[in-house]
Amino acid sequence: MWQRIFFLVFLVLGTSCSNTAPTEPLVKVLASRNPKIKNVMDHLEEHEIQIRYTQINRRNDSVVFTDYDFQVDDNNYFYPASTVKFPAAVAALEKLNEIDSLSLETRFFVEGDSVETTFAKAISEIFAVSDNAANNRLVEFLGQDDLNNRMIKREVSPIRIAHRLSTSNADDVTTKSLVFYLNDSTTSLSNSIVNSPIEPLNLNSIKKGKGFIADESYQEGPFNFGLKNYYPITSQTALMKRIIFPEAFPKEQRFDLSDEQREYLLTAMHTLPSAVGYDKEEFYDSYVKFFMFGDNTEPMPEHIKVYNKVGYAYGTLTDCAYIKDTKNNIDFMLTATILVNSNGVFNDNTYEYDEVGIPFLAQLGRELYQLELERTK
């Protein structure tokens, strides 16, 4: 059995690596006998796994990335869920730089919404606990077209953010106006933005499963993700690289963020929920940190920082992370997605997140972390 799986892994890796790098790292990890890896690899087809592991090396003053891929294919669709909040945060920061009257600390609210917030608070909530409402406020600020265009301009593509998350107006192409507090007594109202119509995606695996729940009843036939968001592994990794190591890219591929903005973003990306006031019992350290630590609720070690954004919905778990160990002087990037929906029914909230998906991603992170500890740079 294991010889067959090893051979399969080798074949898939050998045809999908993003450059001519050797394939051994992911071959070794995915051939692990740890049941959290083995149980998934024994049923590979049903899990739609895609993985990109990025080794980081430094030569003089330069950063060199080496990507190792497993089944990474922009044409094979997976639902990105909350991972799309990362580009929304970056695009919102860049837009703030273009409006003299606004800043991270500007107070605002969306018309019709009673919640007043700031851009800084929204970004913190997005990364600390993956707050949907915070993301949606940034989408109202940006509009879908502007968000997508800012990513594409910096060569973070393909990408198509078409809708908000978990809200009644998710698919509305017209944004709501925002009310900004310019000072204690003066407000300003933004104009609504009319965005392009949502066109169906033409990708592999855009229809999934054997049935789905809609209007509280079971519907026979595959669930169609054609009008959903699209943010593949290659694009997620591309954005992470540009934010963590902007100096590794030409100016036209760097986002226009101030030093203060970028520092705030990086801090938000690794800060644990309890550090910004969330209850430690409910929002434990690894609440939105799947790699290495996601399968337990114990405190994370202080010398390991995980800069990341996860997503989970419709049985799909995804994490895009930059992992840095200051004690052992290692760092690497990892982006992976896995489908855990054994009954083939979507939108029924019956998924194997805790039993299969998160344990797989956690062990994948640990295995690659151990490889990083052992490899010669």
Side-chain angles (χ1 to χ4, degrees), residues 154-156 238-246 249 253:
R154 308 301 183 187
E155 299 190 20
V156 176
L239 179 57
M240 184 65 74
K241 288 176 178 176
R242 284 158 175 76
I243 295 303
I244 301 296
F245 297 106
F249 295 88
Q253 293 184 30

Side-chain angles (χ1 to χ4, degrees), residues 284-301:
Y284 45 90
D285 285 2
S286 61
Y287 181 74
V288 285
K289 309 286 185 190
F290 295 158
F291 294 136
M292 296 184 65
F293 307 107
D295 55 355
N296 70 76
T297 59
E298 297 300 312
M300 289 170 51

Side-chain angles (χ1 to χ4, degrees), residues 12 14 18 34 102 105 115 143 161-162 175 181 228 270 284 295 304 316-317 320 354 357 363 374 377:
V12 176
S18 62
N34 186 293
L102 303 181
E105 300 304 330
V115 176
I161 309 303
T175 67
Y181 289 87
K228 298 293 186 182
H270 76 73
Y284 45 90
D295 55 355
I304 298 180
T316 301
L317 288 158
C320 176
D354 295 328
Q363 188 61 30
E374 297 169 357
K377 297 186 180 182

Side-chain angles (χ1 to χ4, degrees), residues 309-337:
K309 187 69 201 77
V310 304
Y312 55 99
Y314 295 113
T316 301
L317 288 158
T318 307
D319 197 350
C320 176
Y322 167 64
I323 300 170
K324 183 177 181 65
D325 180 343
T326 56
K327 179 180 177 182
N328 295 290
N329 193 30
I330 61 172
D331 59 344
F332 64 101
M333 292 184 184
L334 180 58
T335 307
T337 187

